[in-house]
Amino acid sequence: MKPSIMQGARILATGSAVPDNCISNQTISNIVDTSNEWIVTRTGIKERRVLIGHDKSLIDLAAIAAMRALDKSSMDPLQIDLIILATSSPNDLFGSASQLQDKIGAINAVAFDLTAACSGFVLALVTATQFIQNGSYTNILVVGADVLSKWTDWSDRSTCILFGDGAGAAILQACPSNENGILGFQLDTNGSQAKQLSIAYEEENQELLKDSELPIVQGSFKYITMNGKEVYKFAVSEVPTSILKCLDLLSLSSQDVDWLLLHQANERILHAVADRLSISSSKLISNLSKYGNTSAASIPLALDEALQKGIIKVDDIIVISGFGAGLTWGTVVIQWKC
Ligand code: ACO
């Protein structure tokens, strides 16, 4: 969608954080029946970072990423008007964004969570952009953070090889309309396929409660389940379509794209999408080999690393696409302005 805007929005700075513990494919092959060769060939992942022990949580990672982004933009946390925390692995089901607000001392900010799995950062970026472009807020902190290691079945070789923990942050700031850097977006959802990838709530103790006066059935969330083949097919067919729709809306074409930044799920998906768009794989931003699939963190983590490497130049067009559970997927096209 290409909205009419009252003021522009641009990404001022980014930051990221990953846990210290690095888990290699070799280590995973000691736990389940797999091999480094299988994982690298099928996914491109070589290692991932995982929170171990009780010392750190999602909010610690999110706070480090946020403070790094704030430092780079020389901004005080008190200047932040809104915090959107995209996560599917919160510390608290009522929401964790307020814990992040407290931890970084952003006491003037409204804070809320946004749940959309691996599309979470794209949806949060688009949501934040609306608040800026319609004139409501000036400075917004968008964080994508997940600790899917907490929800991974470490005896399931089809999923435990894929995921890692991490956090990435971006500071969005209002700017004059003619300097707008968030050019447009395209978002989609197909709830009929939700079962392909989920962390489902399951009821328990039914026998225990059925004779009580208040037969409320309770349960808990279980592990990640995924139909990898179906998610793979969905990603390589829907993501290029989403990108083309978004580019078309902006009167841009694949040739105008300087960087393609996709959710870091599988190296084969990244290359298949680039191929379908006739975009050279040299324009793909990828750090999947080091971190695996970090869900909502993957896009801001990869963006932050690319910026640190200095490969993104002013006015470059970056196509960002997220996809995952829901099923949800979406594209946002940005022009780098800082
Ligand atoms: N090691 C060794 N063998 C394995 C492993 C493993 N870790 N996992 C599966 N296998 C076996 C299977 O049992 C199967 O054996 P069989 O042929 O004897 O039955 C064989 O390898 C092939 O399995 P497939 O599932 O067909 O493997 P595929 O090539 O599809 O790769 C993968 C699996 C990597 C999961 C791929 O399907 C994929 O990347 N899917 C997309 C996942 C994704 O993008 N998720 C993004 C969203 S995440 C989110 O939203 C939170």
Side-chain angles (χ1 to χ4, degrees), residues 108-186:
N108 298 317
V110 178
F112 64 84
D113 289 28
L114 187 152
T115 307
C118 303
S119 307
F121 184 78
V122 166
L123 279 152
L125 190 60
V126 169
T127 304
T129 300
Q130 307 315 299
F131 280 112
I132 290 182
Q133 290 180 338
N134 72 18
S136 300
Y137 293 126
T138 303
N139 296 314
I140 302 183
L141 169 64
V142 178
V143 179
D146 266 311
V147 289
L148 289 186
S149 63
K150 309 278 184 203
W151 300 99
T152 297
D153 177 353
W154 287 97
S155 66
D156 174 9
R157 69 177 181 173
S158 68
T159 52
C160 76
I161 57 158
L162 298 172
F163 299 104
D165 302 337
I171 311 284
L172 255 76
Q173 189 169 63
C175 61
S177 302
N178 60 359
E179 288 169 31
N180 179 47
I182 315 290
L183 304 184
F185 63 89
Q186 168 71 35

Coordinates of all heavy atoms in Angstrom, one line a residue, residues 108-186:
N108 N 8.7 7.8 28.8 CA 7.6 8.6 28.1 C 7.0 7.8 27.0 O 6.1 8.3 26.3 CB 8.3 9.8 27.5 CG 8.8 10.7 28.6 OD1 8.1 10.9 29.6 ND2 10.0 11.3 28.4
A109 N 7.4 6.6 26.8 CA 7.0 5.8 25.6 C 5.8 4.9 26.0 O 5.7 4.3 27.0 CB 8.1 4.9 25.1
V110 N 4.8 4.9 25.1 CA 3.8 3.8 25.1 C 4.5 2.6 24.6 O 5.3 2.7 23.7 CB 2.6 4.2 24.1 CG1 1.6 3.1 24.1 CG2 2.0 5.5 24.5
A111 N 4.1 1.4 25.1 CA 4.8 0.2 24.6 C 3.8 -1.0 24.5 O 2.9 -1.2 25.3 CB 5.9 -0.2 25.6
F112 N 3.9 -1.6 23.4 CA 3.0 -2.8 23.2 C 3.7 -3.9 22.4 O 4.7 -3.6 21.6 CB 1.6 -2.5 22.6 CG 1.7 -1.9 21.2 CD1 1.7 -2.7 20.1 CD2 1.6 -0.5 21.0 CE1 1.7 -2.2 18.8 CE2 1.5 0.0 19.7 CZ 1.6 -0.8 18.6
D113 N 3.3 -5.1 22.5 CA 3.8 -6.3 21.8 C 3.1 -6.4 20.4 O 1.9 -6.1 20.4 CB 3.6 -7.6 22.5 CG 4.6 -7.7 23.7 OD1 4.9 -6.7 24.3 OD2 4.9 -8.8 24.1
L114 N 3.7 -7.0 19.5 CA 3.1 -7.4 18.2 C 3.5 -8.8 17.9 O 4.7 -9.1 17.9 CB 3.5 -6.4 17.1 CG 2.8 -6.5 15.8 CD1 2.9 -5.1 15.1 CD2 3.5 -7.5 14.9
T115 N 2.5 -9.7 17.7 CA 2.9 -11.1 17.5 C 2.6 -11.5 16.1 O 1.4 -11.5 15.6 CB 2.0 -12.0 18.4 OG1 2.1 -11.6 19.8 CG2 2.4 -13.5 18.3
A116 N 3.6 -11.8 15.3 CA 3.5 -12.3 14.0 C 4.7 -13.1 13.5 O 5.1 -13.0 12.4 CB 3.2 -11.1 13.0
A117 N 5.2 -13.9 14.5 CA 6.3 -14.8 14.2 C 7.4 -14.1 13.3 O 7.9 -13.0 13.6 CB 5.8 -16.1 13.6
C118 N 7.8 -14.8 12.2 CA 8.9 -14.3 11.4 C 8.6 -13.1 10.6 O 9.4 -12.5 10.0 CB 9.4 -15.5 10.5 SG 9.9 -16.9 11.5
S119 N 7.3 -12.8 10.5 CA 6.9 -11.5 9.8 C 6.8 -10.4 10.8 O 6.4 -9.2 10.4 CB 5.5 -11.7 9.1 OG 5.5 -12.8 8.3
G120 N 7.1 -10.6 12.1 CA 6.8 -9.6 13.1 C 7.5 -8.3 12.9 O 6.9 -7.2 13.1
F121 N 8.8 -8.3 12.5 CA 9.5 -7.1 12.3 C 8.9 -6.2 11.2 O 8.8 -5.0 11.3 CB 11.0 -7.3 12.1 CG 11.8 -6.0 12.0 CD1 12.1 -5.3 13.2 CD2 12.1 -5.4 10.8 CE1 12.7 -4.1 13.2 CE2 12.8 -4.2 10.8 CZ 13.1 -3.6 11.9
V122 N 8.5 -6.9 10.1 CA 7.9 -6.2 8.9 C 6.6 -5.5 9.4 O 6.4 -4.3 9.1 CB 7.7 -7.1 7.7 CG1 6.8 -6.5 6.7 CG2 9.1 -7.4 7.1
L123 N 5.8 -6.3 10.1 CA 4.5 -5.7 10.5 C 4.7 -4.6 11.5 O 4.0 -3.6 11.5 CB 3.6 -6.8 11.1 CG 2.9 -7.6 10.0 CD1 2.7 -9.0 10.5 CD2 1.6 -7.0 9.7
A124 N 5.7 -4.7 12.4 CA 6.0 -3.7 13.4 C 6.5 -2.4 12.7 O 6.2 -1.3 13.1 CB 7.0 -4.2 14.4
L125 N 7.4 -2.6 11.7 CA 7.9 -1.5 11.0 C 6.8 -0.7 10.2 O 6.8 0.5 10.3 CB 9.0 -2.0 10.0 CG 9.9 -1.0 9.2 CD1 10.7 -0.2 10.2 CD2 10.8 -1.8 8.3
V126 N 5.9 -1.5 9.6 CA 4.8 -0.8 8.9 C 3.9 -0.1 9.9 O 3.4 1.0 9.7 CB 4.0 -1.9 8.1 CG1 2.7 -1.3 7.5 CG2 4.9 -2.4 6.9
T127 N 3.6 -0.8 11.1 CA 2.7 -0.1 12.1 C 3.4 1.2 12.6 O 2.7 2.2 12.7 CB 2.5 -1.1 13.3 OG1 2.0 -2.3 12.7 CG2 1.6 -0.6 14.3
A128 N 4.6 1.1 12.9 CA 5.3 2.3 13.4 C 5.3 3.4 12.4 O 5.1 4.6 12.7 CB 6.8 1.9 13.8
T129 N 5.5 3.0 11.1 CA 5.5 4.0 10.0 C 4.2 4.8 10.0 O 4.1 6.0 9.7 CB 5.8 3.3 8.7 OG1 7.1 2.7 8.8 CG2 5.8 4.3 7.5
Q130 N 3.1 4.0 10.2 CA 1.7 4.7 10.2 C 1.7 5.8 11.2 O 1.2 6.9 11.0 CB 0.6 3.7 10.4 CG 0.6 2.5 9.4 CD 0.9 2.9 8.0 OE1 0.1 3.6 7.4 NE2 2.0 2.4 7.5
F131 N 2.1 5.4 12.5 CA 2.1 6.4 13.6 C 2.9 7.7 13.2 O 2.6 8.8 13.7 CB 2.6 5.8 14.9 CG 1.6 4.9 15.6 CD1 1.7 3.5 15.6 CD2 0.4 5.5 16.1 CE1 0.8 2.7 16.3 CE2 -0.5 4.7 16.8 CZ -0.3 3.3 16.9
I132 N 4.0 7.5 12.5 CA 4.8 8.7 12.2 C 4.2 9.4 11.0 O 4.0 10.6 11.0 CB 6.3 8.2 11.9 CG1 6.9 7.8 13.2 CG2 7.0 9.4 11.2 CD1 8.4 7.4 13.1
Q133 N 3.9 8.7 9.9 CA 3.4 9.3 8.7 C 2.1 10.1 8.9 O 1.8 11.0 8.2 CB 3.4 8.3 7.5 CG 4.8 7.9 7.1 CD 4.8 6.9 5.9 OE1 3.8 6.2 5.7 NE2 5.9 6.9 5.2
N134 N 1.3 9.6 9.9 CA 0.0 10.3 10.1 C 0.2 11.4 11.2 O -0.8 12.1 11.6 CB -1.1 9.4 10.5 CG -1.0 8.8 11.9 OD1 -0.3 9.3 12.7 ND2 -1.7 7.7 12.1
G135 N 1.4 11.6 11.6 CA 1.7 12.8 12.5 C 1.5 12.5 14.0 O 1.7 13.4 14.8
S136 N 1.2 11.3 14.4 CA 1.0 11.0 15.8 C 2.3 11.0 16.6 O 2.2 11.5 17.8 CB 0.3 9.6 16.0 OG -0.9 9.5 15.3
Y137 N 3.3 10.4 16.1 CA 4.6 10.3 16.9 C 5.8 10.7 16.1 O 5.8 10.7 14.9 CB 4.8 8.9 17.4 CG 3.7 8.4 18.4 CD1 3.0 7.2 18.2 CD2 3.5 9.1 19.6 CE1 2.0 6.8 19.1 CE2 2.5 8.6 20.5 CZ 1.8 7.5 20.2 OH 0.9 7.1 21.2
T138 N 6.9 11.1 16.9 CA 8.1 11.5 16.2 C 9.2 10.4 16.2 O 9.9 10.2 15.2 CB 8.6 12.8 16.9 OG1 7.6 13.8 16.9 CG2 9.9 13.3 16.2
N139 N 9.4 9.8 17.4 CA 10.5 8.8 17.5 C 9.9 7.5 18.0 O 9.2 7.4 19.1 CB 11.5 9.3 18.6 CG 12.2 10.6 18.1 OD1 12.6 10.7 17.0 ND2 12.2 11.5 19.0
I140 N 10.1 6.4 17.3 CA 9.6 5.1 17.6 C 10.7 4.1 17.6 O 11.6 4.0 16.7 CB 8.5 4.7 16.6 CG1 7.3 5.7 16.6 CG2 8.0 3.3 17.0 CD1 6.2 5.4 15.8
L141 N 10.7 3.3 18.7 CA 11.7 2.1 18.7 C 10.9 0.9 18.3 O 9.9 0.5 18.9 CB 12.2 2.0 20.2 CG 13.0 0.7 20.5 CD1 14.3 0.7 19.8 CD2 13.2 0.7 22.0
V142 N 11.4 0.2 17.3 CA 10.9 -1.0 16.8 C 11.9 -2.1 17.1 O 13.0 -2.0 16.7 CB 10.6 -1.0 15.3 CG1 10.0 -2.3 14.8 CG2 9.6 0.1 15.0
V143 N 11.5 -3.1 17.8 CA 12.4 -4.2 18.2 C 11.8 -5.5 17.7 O 10.6 -5.8 17.9 CB 12.6 -4.3 19.7 CG1 13.6 -5.5 20.0 CG2 13.2 -3.0 20.2
G144 N 12.6 -6.4 17.0 CA 12.2 -7.8 16.7 C 13.1 -8.6 17.6 O 14.3 -8.6 17.5
A145 N 12.5 -9.5 18.4 CA 13.3 -10.3 19.3 C 12.6 -11.6 19.5 O 11.3 -11.7 19.7 CB 13.5 -9.6 20.6
D146 N 13.3 -12.7 19.5 CA 12.7 -14.0 19.8 C 13.7 -14.9 20.4 O 14.9 -14.9 20.1 CB 12.1 -14.7 18.5 CG 10.7 -14.4 18.3 OD1 9.9 -14.6 19.3 OD2 10.3 -13.9 17.2
V147 N 13.3 -15.8 21.3 CA 14.1 -16.8 21.9 C 13.4 -18.2 21.7 O 12.9 -18.8 22.6 CB 14.4 -16.6 23.4 CG1 15.4 -15.4 23.6 CG2 13.1 -16.3 24.2
L148 N 13.4 -18.6 20.4 CA 12.6 -19.8 20.1 C 13.3 -21.0 20.6 O 12.7 -22.1 20.6 CB 12.4 -19.9 18.5 CG 11.5 -18.9 17.9 CD1 11.2 -19.2 16.5 CD2 10.1 -18.8 18.7
S149 N 14.5 -20.9 21.1 CA 15.2 -22.1 21.8 C 14.3 -22.6 22.9 O 14.3 -23.8 23.3 CB 16.6 -21.8 22.2 OG 16.5 -20.8 23.2
K150 N 13.5 -21.6 23.5 CA 12.7 -22.0 24.7 C 11.5 -22.8 24.2 O 10.8 -23.4 25.0 CB 12.1 -20.8 25.4 CG 13.2 -19.8 25.8 CD 13.9 -20.1 27.1 CE 14.9 -19.1 27.5 NZ 15.9 -19.6 28.4
W151 N 11.1 -22.8 22.9 CA 9.9 -23.4 22.4 C 10.2 -24.5 21.4 O 9.4 -25.0 20.7 CB 9.0 -22.3 21.8 CG 8.6 -21.3 22.8 CD1 9.1 -20.1 23.0 CD2 7.6 -21.5 23.9 NE1 8.6 -19.5 24.1 CE2 7.6 -20.3 24.6 CE3 6.7 -22.5 24.2 CZ2 6.8 -20.2 25.7 CZ3 5.9 -22.4 25.3 CH2 5.9 -21.2 26.0
T152 N 11.5 -24.8 21.3 CA 12.0 -25.8 20.3 C 12.0 -27.2 21.0 O 12.4 -27.3 22.1 CB 13.4 -25.5 19.9 OG1 13.4 -24.2 19.2 CG2 14.0 -26.5 18.9
D153 N 11.5 -28.2 20.3 CA 11.6 -29.6 20.7 C 13.0 -30.1 20.3 O 13.2 -30.4 19.1 CB 10.5 -30.4 20.1 CG 10.6 -31.9 20.4 OD1 11.5 -32.3 21.1 OD2 9.6 -32.6 20.1
W154 N 13.9 -30.1 21.3 CA 15.3 -30.5 21.0 C 15.5 -31.9 20.6 O 16.6 -32.4 20.5 CB 16.2 -30.0 22.1 CG 16.3 -28.5 22.1 CD1 15.6 -27.6 22.8 CD2 17.1 -27.7 21.2 NE1 15.9 -26.3 22.5 CE2 16.9 -26.4 21.5 CE3 18.1 -28.0 20.2 CZ2 17.5 -25.3 20.9 CZ3 18.7 -27.0 19.6 CH2 18.5 -25.7 19.9
S155 N 14.3 -32.7 20.6 CA 14.5 -34.1 20.1 C 13.9 -34.2 18.7 O 13.9 -35.3 18.1 CB 13.7 -35.1 21.0 OG 12.3 -34.8 21.0
D156 N 13.4 -33.1 18.1 CA 12.9 -33.1 16.7 C 13.9 -32.5 15.7 O 14.0 -31.3 15.6 CB 11.6 -32.3 16.7 CG 11.0 -32.1 15.3 OD1 11.4 -32.8 14.4 OD2 10.0 -31.3 15.2
R157 N 14.5 -33.4 15.0 CA 15.6 -33.0 14.1 C 15.1 -32.1 13.0 O 15.9 -31.4 12.3 CB 16.4 -34.2 13.5 CG 15.6 -35.0 12.5 CD 16.4 -36.1 12.0 NE 15.6 -36.9 11.0 CZ 16.2 -37.8 10.2 NH1 17.4 -38.1 10.3 NH2 15.4 -38.5 9.4
S158 N 13.8 -32.2 12.6 CA 13.3 -31.4 11.5 C 13.1 -29.9 11.9 O 13.1 -29.0 11.0 CB 12.0 -31.9 11.0 OG 11.0 -31.8 11.9
T159 N 13.1 -29.6 13.2 CA 13.0 -28.2 13.6 C 14.2 -27.6 14.4 O 14.5 -26.5 14.3 CB 11.7 -27.9 14.4 OG1 11.6 -28.8 15.5 CG2 10.4 -28.0 13.5
C160 N 14.8 -28.5 15.2 CA 15.8 -28.0 16.2 C 17.0 -27.5 15.5 O 17.8 -26.7 16.1 CB 16.1 -29.0 17.3 SG 17.1 -30.3 16.8
I161 N 17.2 -27.9 14.3 CA 18.4 -27.4 13.5 C 18.3 -26.0 13.0 O 19.3 -25.4 12.6 CB 18.7 -28.4 12.3 CG1 17.4 -28.4 11.4 CG2 19.1 -29.8 12.7 CD1 17.7 -28.7 10.0
L162 N 17.0 -25.5 13.0 CA 16.8 -24.3 12.3 C 16.9 -23.0 13.1 O 17.3 -22.0 12.6 CB 15.3 -24.3 11.7 CG 15.0 -25.4 10.7 CD1 13.5 -25.4 10.4 CD2 15.8 -25.2 9.4
F163 N 16.5 -23.0 14.4 CA 16.3 -21.8 15.1 C 17.4 -21.3 16.0 O 18.2 -22.1 16.5 CB 15.0 -21.9 15.9 CG 13.8 -22.2 15.0 CD1 13.2 -23.4 15.0 CD2 13.2 -21.2 14.3 CE1 12.1 -23.7 14.2 CE2 12.1 -21.4 13.5 CZ 11.6 -22.7 13.4
G164 N 17.5 -20.0 16.1 CA 18.5 -19.4 17.0 C 17.8 -18.2 17.7 O 16.7 -17.8 17.4
D165 N 18.4 -17.7 18.8 CA 17.9 -16.6 19.5 C 18.6 -15.3 19.1 O 19.8 -15.3 18.8 CB 18.1 -16.8 21.0 CG 17.5 -18.1 21.5 OD1 16.5 -18.6 20.9 OD2 17.9 -18.6 22.6
G166 N 17.9 -14.2 19.2 CA 18.5 -12.9 18.9 C 17.5 -11.7 19.1 O 16.3 -11.9 19.3
A167 N 18.0 -10.5 18.9 CA 17.2 -9.3 18.9 C 17.8 -8.3 18.0 O 19.0 -8.2 17.8 CB 17.1 -8.7 20.3
G168 N 16.9 -7.5 17.3 CA 17.4 -6.4 16.5 C 16.4 -5.2 16.7 O 15.2 -5.4 16.9
A169 N 17.0 -4.0 16.6 CA 16.2 -2.8 16.9 C 16.4 -1.8 15.8 O 17.5 -1.7 15.2 CB 16.6 -2.3 18.2
A170 N 15.4 -1.0 15.6 CA 15.5 0.2 14.7 C 14.8 1.4 15.3 O 13.8 1.2 15.9 CB 14.9 -0.2 13.3
I171 N 15.5 2.5 15.2 CA 14.8 3.8 15.6 C 14.2 4.4 14.3 O 15.0 4.7 13.4 CB 15.9 4.8 16.2 CG1 16.7 4.1 17.3 CG2 15.1 6.0 16.7 CD1 16.1 3.9 18.6
L172 N 12.9 4.6 14.4 CA 12.3 5.4 13.3 C 12.0 6.8 13.7 O 11.6 7.0 14.9 CB 10.9 4.7 13.0 CG 10.9 3.9 11.7 CD1 11.6 2.6 12.0 CD2 9.4 3.6 11.3
Q173 N 12.3 7.7 12.8 CA 12.1 9.1 13.2 C 11.3 9.9 12.1 O 11.5 9.6 10.9 CB 13.4 9.8 13.4 CG 13.3 11.2 14.0 CD 14.6 11.7 14.4 OE1 15.5 11.9 13.6 NE2 14.8 12.0 15.7
A174 N 10.5 10.8 12.5 CA 9.8 11.7 11.5 C 10.8 12.6 10.8 O 11.8 13.0 11.3 CB 8.8 12.5 12.3
C175 N 10.4 12.9 9.5 CA 11.3 13.7 8.7 C 10.3 14.4 7.7 O 9.2 14.0 7.6 CB 12.4 12.9 8.0 SG 11.7 11.7 6.9
P176 N 10.8 15.5 7.0 CA 10.0 16.1 6.0 C 9.5 15.1 5.0 O 10.3 14.1 4.7 CB 10.9 17.1 5.4 CG 12.0 17.4 6.4 CD 12.2 16.1 7.1
S177 N 8.3 15.3 4.4 CA 7.7 14.3 3.5 C 8.7 14.0 2.3 O 8.7 12.9 1.8 CB 6.4 14.8 2.9 OG 5.6 15.1 3.9
N178 N 9.4 15.0 1.8 CA 10.3 14.8 0.7 C 11.5 14.0 1.0 O 12.3 13.6 0.1 CB 10.6 16.1 -0.1 CG 11.4 17.0 0.8 OD1 11.6 16.7 2.0 ND2 11.7 18.2 0.3
E179 N 11.7 13.7 2.3 CA 12.9 12.8 2.7 C 12.4 11.5 3.2 O 13.1 10.7 3.8 CB 13.7 13.5 3.8 CG 14.5 14.7 3.2 CD 15.1 15.5 4.4 OE1 15.4 14.9 5.4 OE2 15.2 16.7 4.2
N180 N 11.1 11.2 3.0 CA 10.5 9.9 3.4 C 11.3 8.7 3.0 O 11.7 8.6 1.8 CB 9.1 9.8 3.0 CG 8.4 8.5 3.4 OD1 8.5 8.2 4.6 ND2 7.8 7.9 2.5
G181 N 11.6 7.8 3.9 CA 12.4 6.6 3.5 C 11.6 5.3 3.5 O 12.1 4.3 3.0
I182 N 10.4 5.3 4.1 CA 9.6 4.1 4.1 C 8.6 4.3 3.0 O 7.6 5.0 3.1 CB 8.9 3.9 5.4 CG1 9.9 4.1 6.6 CG2 8.3 2.5 5.5 CD1 10.9 3.1 6.8
L183 N 8.9 3.7 1.8 CA 8.2 4.1 0.6 C 6.8 3.4 0.5 O 5.9 4.0 -0.1 CB 9.0 3.7 -0.6 CG 10.4 4.3 -0.7 CD1 11.1 4.0 -2.0 CD2 10.4 5.8 -0.5
G184 N 6.7 2.1 0.8 CA 5.4 1.5 0.7 C 5.5 0.0 1.2 O 6.6 -0.4 1.6
F185 N 4.3 -0.6 1.3 CA 4.3 -2.0 1.8 C 3.2 -2.8 1.2 O 2.2 -2.2 0.6 CB 4.1 -1.9 3.4 CG 2.8 -1.3 3.8 CD1 1.7 -2.1 4.0 CD2 2.7 0.1 4.1 CE1 0.5 -1.5 4.4 CE2 1.5 0.7 4.5 CZ 0.4 -0.1 4.6
Q186 N 3.3 -4.1 1.4 CA 2.3 -5.1 1.0 C 2.2 -6.1 2.1 O 3.2 -6.7 2.4 CB 2.7 -5.7 -0.4 CG 1.9 -6.9 -0.8 CD 0.5 -6.5 -1.3 OE1 0.3 -5.4 -1.8 NE2 -0.4 -7.4 -0.9

